[in-house]
Structures are given as C-alpha cells and as structure tokens.
C-alpha cells in the first residue's frame, strides 16, 4: 500500500509537471509562428492547440484524482506508459526550438520532419492528438466507468459499460501506439511486475521527470 501511495503521488505530480512543460512549449511554438509570419500555418497551429489541450487535461486529471481517489489506481499504469513519452516529445520540441544553429524557419521544418520520421510517419500534430485522446480515455476511466469486483490482472480489467464515453478498445489501440513511440525514442520498457492491489503493472521508478 505504501508503494502504491508513493507512485500515486509521483505520477499525479508528474501530470502537473508535464502540464507546466506543455505551457512552456505552447509559448515557444507561438514564438515560432510569429517568426514564420504564417499565422495560418495549419500544422504548427494544430501542434500548438494539441499541446495546450494536453496541458488542460493533465491538470484536470490531477484535480479529479482528488475527488475520485478510490479509482486512482486504475489510471496509474496507463500514466506510467504515457508520461515519459509525452515528456520526451515536449523536451524534443524545446530542443529543436533552442537550436541556434538554424533559422527559426528551419527549426520548425527540422522539428516537424525529424519528429514525424522518428514516429514512423505519424505527423507531429497527430502524435499530440494521440496523447490527448489517451488522456481523455483516462479521464473517462477515472470519472465515469464502473468497475466490476472481479479484476483479472493478466487481462487488464473487466468493465461494466456504464459510460458511453469510455472506449476500452480505443485505449488499447492508443496504448500500443504510445509503446511504439517509446521504443522509437529509446525509452526503457516497463517492468513486468505487478502490485497486488493495483490492477495494472506498476513500478515506482517507471516515470522519471
């Protein structure tokens, strides 16, 4: 129980940290858009909007976790999967933004094409959209989805479908997509051990800020 409590606090604090990082990245992208003198650049605008939306959802998850504390264990391992990948993507954007060897126009172009290629062709806006869809699934899981008493750890969870908003198939599809992104960026694999009272694999050190 003590381990679960520590991981709970660590991951939920991570939501706040990445929300703040997202705000900084959105501000940097706004600066790039101004420098490009292309206020209607659709790709850059889409990335900015998704990063800002992600910041809001991360804060919402942290806030809702205080209200629905009994359901927090349901989202811990999914957060373990997402937060390191999201954090790396945000830090990569900042690294491209701070590359003084390139003009701001070329910083954006290099950022877009490099990060698209490393994701197997998944565009930069689509990457952050996937992150946000995943966060949205976790929000629905935390707030709306009832859980049956029987939990099979090996097969994740058995849900009753009280929420028309929660889509377990979508969550699994996005989970696999994010795991591929983790592999592409060399983020270490999650440990296979399970905490007995937590319905997903869980390790205290899986998320590093």
């Amino acid at each position: 129980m003590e381990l679960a409590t520590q991981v709970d606090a660590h991951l939920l604090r991570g939501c706040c940290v990445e929300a703040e990082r997202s705000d900084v990245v959105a501000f940097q992208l706004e600066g790039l858009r101004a420098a490009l003198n292309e206020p209607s650049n659709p790709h850059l605008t889409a990335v900015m909007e998704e990063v800002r939306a992600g910041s809001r959802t991360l804060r919402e998850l942290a806030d809702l976790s205080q209200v629905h504390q009994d359901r927090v264990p349901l989202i811990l391992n999914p957060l373990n999967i997402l937060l390191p990948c999201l954090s790396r993507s945000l830090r990569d954007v900042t690294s491209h933004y701070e590359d003084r060897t390139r003009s701001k126009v070329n910083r954006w172009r290099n950022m877009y094409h490099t990060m698209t290629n490393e994701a197997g062709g998944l565009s930069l806006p689509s990457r952050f959209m996937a992150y946000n869809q995943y966060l949205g699934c976790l929000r629905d899981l935390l707030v709306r989805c009832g859980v049956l008493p029987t939990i099979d750890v090996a097969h994740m969870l058995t849900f009753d479908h009280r929420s028309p908003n929660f889509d377990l198939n979508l969550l699994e599809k996005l989970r696999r997509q994010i795991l591929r992104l983790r592999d592409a960026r060399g983020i270490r694999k999650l440990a296979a051990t399970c905490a007995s009272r937590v319905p997903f694999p869980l390790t205290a050190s899986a998320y590093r800020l």
Side-chain angles (χ1 to χ4, degrees), residues 171-181:
L171 178 62
E172 175 62 11
K173 175 183 176 182
L174 293 167
R175 186 186 71 88
R176 292 180 182 277
Q177 187 175 42
I178 292 167
L179 287 173
R180 289 194 296 270
L181 281 170

Side-chain angles (χ1 to χ4, degrees), residues 28-45 48 103-112:
Q28 292 169 337
L29 293 174
E30 183 68 58
L32 274 183
R33 186 168 70 167
L36 294 176
N37 196 26
E38 296 180 24
S40 61
N41 184 306
H43 299 297
L44 181 51
T45 299
M48 286 172 47
S103 67
K104 288 189 175 181
V105 171
N106 287 333
R107 288 179 215 176
W108 162 246
R109 290 174 178 169
N110 186 58
M111 176 198 307
Y112 185 87

